[in-house]
Each structure stands twice: as C-alpha cells, then as structure tokens.
Amino acid sequence: MSKMNKNILRFLGLSVVCLVIGIAFTHFGDNEAYPQDNIRADLDRFVEVFAYVKRYYVEPVESDKLITGAIEGLLAKLDPHSVYIPKKSLEKVNEQFEGSFEGIGIEFIVLNKILTVVSPIPGGPSEAVGVLPGDQIVRIDGTSAYGITEDEVFKKLRGPKGSKVKVVISRTSLAEPFEVEIVRDKIPINSLYSAFMMDDGKTGYIWLARFAKTTSDELETALKDLRSQGMERLIFDLRSNSGGLLEQAVEVADKFIPAGQKLVYTRGRLSGADEDFFSSDAGDQPRMPMIVMISHGSASASEIVAGAIQDLDRGLVVGQTSFGKGLVQNQIGLKDGSALRLTVARYYTPSGRLIQRPYTDGLADYYAAGYDDEDTNAPAAADSGRTVYRTRAGRVVYGGGGITPDSTLKPERITRFTNGLFGSRIFFELGSKYGTALRGKYTNFAVFRAKYSVGEEIVPDLKELLKKNKIEFSEEAYKKDQVFIKAMVKAEVARSLWDSKHYYQVLRSEDPEVIAAEGLMPQAAAILKQGGW
C-alpha cells in the first residue's frame, strides 16, 4: 500500500453510504483528471437553460434546488453509486464510520408520541445514572417531550462531551416520574452486534453489522474472548452488512488469511486508482473451520471479505447471493461543505472476479434485482452466462453479480401480519411488559436463555395490544409464525432485563439460518483442508 493512500480514509457501502476509496484527485494530475474536452460550450448551454427557468418559469424557483437537482441528474447518468451529499446530510453519513458520537447514550423509539428508551448503550452516561429499557422520557430540560420527533430527539439529547441535560423519566414500576441529570459523553457506535458461544460449546458466533473505524479492534476482542471460552470453529455473520471502511475490510480478512495473499485489488481509468491489498498475517488467529454468512443485503466491504474467504478456500460461504457492488468511489469535499462521491475504479476479488451487477436497466430495477428473493445466481446456474473463475483449490466461482454462496440457505419468511408487528412496536411492548414482571427473578443471562420460554399466555396480551393499535388479529398467521413471534418476544424480554447485546444473542441463537449454518461445519472443515491451510 502506498504511503499516500495509507494516510487517506477509505469508505465502502451501499446506496448513499457508498463504496469509497480516498484517492485524492490531485494524485492523478491535471492532464489525467481533466481531459481536453470542449467543456465551455456544454456549460454555456446549461447556463442558458438555467437563466430561462429562473426568468420565465410559472412559479419562482430556488437556485439551490435547481443546481442540486442538476448535479443529482448528472451523477444519475453515470452509475448507481456516484452521489451528491448535501452539507446537512454529510455529518450523519460520516458519523457511522467514525465509530462514535457525543450524547446521553440511548437507543430509543418514539412510541405513541412518547420518547421511549429501547436500551441504554453499555458504558454510556444514561446507563451510569440508572436509565432502564422501557423508561419513558417525558420532559427534557423542563419542556414536555410528548409528540417529539426523532430529529428533535437528536437535537435535544446529543451535545458536546461534558454538557448536561435534565430529563424526567416515567417508569412503570414507580408511582411518580423522577428527574435525573445526565452528563453527555462520547458514545461508541459498535460495528459488532453480537458475539457468543453456541450451545455445543465449540462453535463461536460473531455478527458484524458494518465496517467502521473500530471494527478490527472490536473483532479482535471478540475473537480472543471466544477463544478463551473454547471456540474451535466460527460462524461469521455478514448478512445485511452494507459496507463501510475499505481498510477495515482488509484488516478483517487479514485476521483469517495467512500472509502474502492478495485480498482485493482495484483498477480504474487513471493509474492513481490502481492498488493491490495483501494479507500480512498480523493476527494470531488459528486456522479453524469458518463459515461466512451473507444475504442479498451484504455489499461492498462484506463482499470483499466473503470473496477473499471464498477465493482462497479459507472457509465456506453460505446464505443468498450478495448485493453485487464492486464500484469504487472517491469522496471529494466541495467548497460549501457538501461532498461528491464519484466512481473512479472497480474492485476485484483475489481470483479476478468483478462482482458489480449490471445497472443498465435503471436505478429502480438495479436495487429491486439486488434484493430479489429468487436466487437466480445459485451455483447450479452454470449456464446463466456469468463468467466462471477458479478458487485457490480449483473450485468454480462466478463473477458479475455479487458473491454466490457455496451453499444456499433460504431466509425465514414471515407473513404480512407478523411483519406489521414490527412497525407497531408490538414485540417491544410485550417484551417490556414481561421484562418488568420478571425483573429480579432472572439475574443470570445463561439461566434465562436456557430456562425462560414464551408460552401461549402471549395470545391474550397480543390481542389486547393489537386491539389498542386497531390491528386485526390473524389466527392463521399467528399459527404459521408463532415460533418466530415467541423468539422475538423472548429477545425483547432479554433486552428489557439486560441490554441490546443480550437481545441479539437470543435472536441469533434461535435463528433457523444460523442453526442451519452450524450444521454445515463439516463442509467448512473440508474446504479449509482443501485450501492447504
């Protein structure tokens, strides 16, 4: 890696959070970056149209909206991932990659116009003053919080480290609301949502949700912890991970692959966009059998990691064909504080695969096809016209449309009725109710996970909540989805009693896809041996 590029931040991601490599345009040189086209005549034509619209359009129009629309239209003609980011949106877009923000440290929802705590963030200032899941924040600095919007929550509760905010909390178990003063602090945004040992005592499970500045360190900590608990094999879950920082993707892959192996490379029209990334063997992870889980929502950085693991026969890739985003963008800060993310290259997996899906049929079809549940790129579709490549050990893999899993797993399907329970916060409300009743009975999570189960007593409570929310109960849908519904409620109870980390552990340990993946470990061990690792 060149010295210059080591000092530049790189991003990968999906949609607005696009795959980005920080290659400064100044690196290309003026002659490369600005071809000698007749730009003046084209700009004159644009200025002429702009002037006519401003002067004669039936209603007054804002110049800023016209220019922004023109920029967005220009980029839309290029590819789905070259985008313009307005100044007001840039901070939020960048924040998730920075790995932290400053505030009081809560996950929240606005439930029936009331600001409700889903979970205090572990180690944050709200947890320190005793805020609990299910608490309702009814006043902020003396002003009622009823009817507050999500944007207003951010404005009122976030703030510089060391500043203070007074909130009044209503708690179900207490007769009267009470006031607490919270000192804002730096709050981490975790990349790693869950890491635990499966019931067999040998298989570790890790769910990585994004690639941000702290990802490699978080993963290293989780791996060491699981190894100390006896982990001999690993399920690495990248489902719905839409990407993040390129350098973190390389570091993550580097933890599992011995030194000297090409992990990913980029190629563009200009030489400054070309770069190769190799494993360094910086980590000390043993070469244990490994399964990588992907889905239609896995993109960019996730596909780099999955592609490297697959191409180098380091592990078994399972799930559904990934999204297929292999375009590289450069982020350029503009003078007004906004930013341009412009495609400058493509990236390739170790075997030479370009995994970018075609986008010639328009943006709507591009995204619809990416999330299509019909896995048309399954391994059996050898005659689909996709280019065939070979892994290190000679196994067939495909290019030109995402990472095709070695073994396809069908995602769990729930009815429209059950899906609607999420938007109505039904699972959260049931979990909070049962969690309040169980507080004090379960103090040990392992005991809770093993012994607590949600029974049919859920039905009358579910019907009552549905009636309150004017939703009709479906007996047929409930019977079909009752295992899923009960697992969701148990997970919400765990969050009510502990935090989101325990919520995800319950959810993933009872996930049918995770259980199915665990059963494929013998295949993962065979691939590891086949690859010569």
Side-chain angles (χ1 to χ4, degrees), residues 14 38 49 86 245 266 270 288 317 319 409 451 470:
L14 187 59
N38 190 6
V49 172
L245 299 175
T266 64
L270 307 178
M288 64 180 66
V317 177
L409 300 178
K451 293 189 175 182
K470 298 180 180 179

Side-chain angles (χ1 to χ4, degrees), residues 45 53 108 286 294 320 327 364 371 376 381 419 427 463 521:
R45 182 158 52 101
V53 171
F108 71 90
I294 59 173
Q320 304 91 48
L327 299 179
Y371 291 99
T376 55
N419 191 61
F427 295 129
K463 288 180 176 179
M521 271 299 172

Side-chain angles (χ1 to χ4, degrees), residues 88-146:
K88 63 181 180 180
S89 303
L90 188 59
E91 182 178 350
K92 287 185 179 179
V93 170
N94 287 338
E95 185 179 86
Q96 62 185 294
F97 297 117
E98 292 299 318
S100 67
F101 64 92
E102 293 181 350
I104 70 167
I106 60 169
E107 297 177 29
F108 71 90
I109 58 173
V110 178
L111 182 62
N112 299 324
K113 297 186 178 182
I114 300 173
L115 174 56
T116 305
V117 178
V118 172
S119 176
I121 295 175
S126 289
E127 184 187 57
V129 298
V131 175
L132 298 175
D135 282 352
Q136 297 177 334
I137 298 177
V138 296
R139 298 184 73 83
I140 302 174
D141 282 334
T143 303
S144 172
Y146 182 77

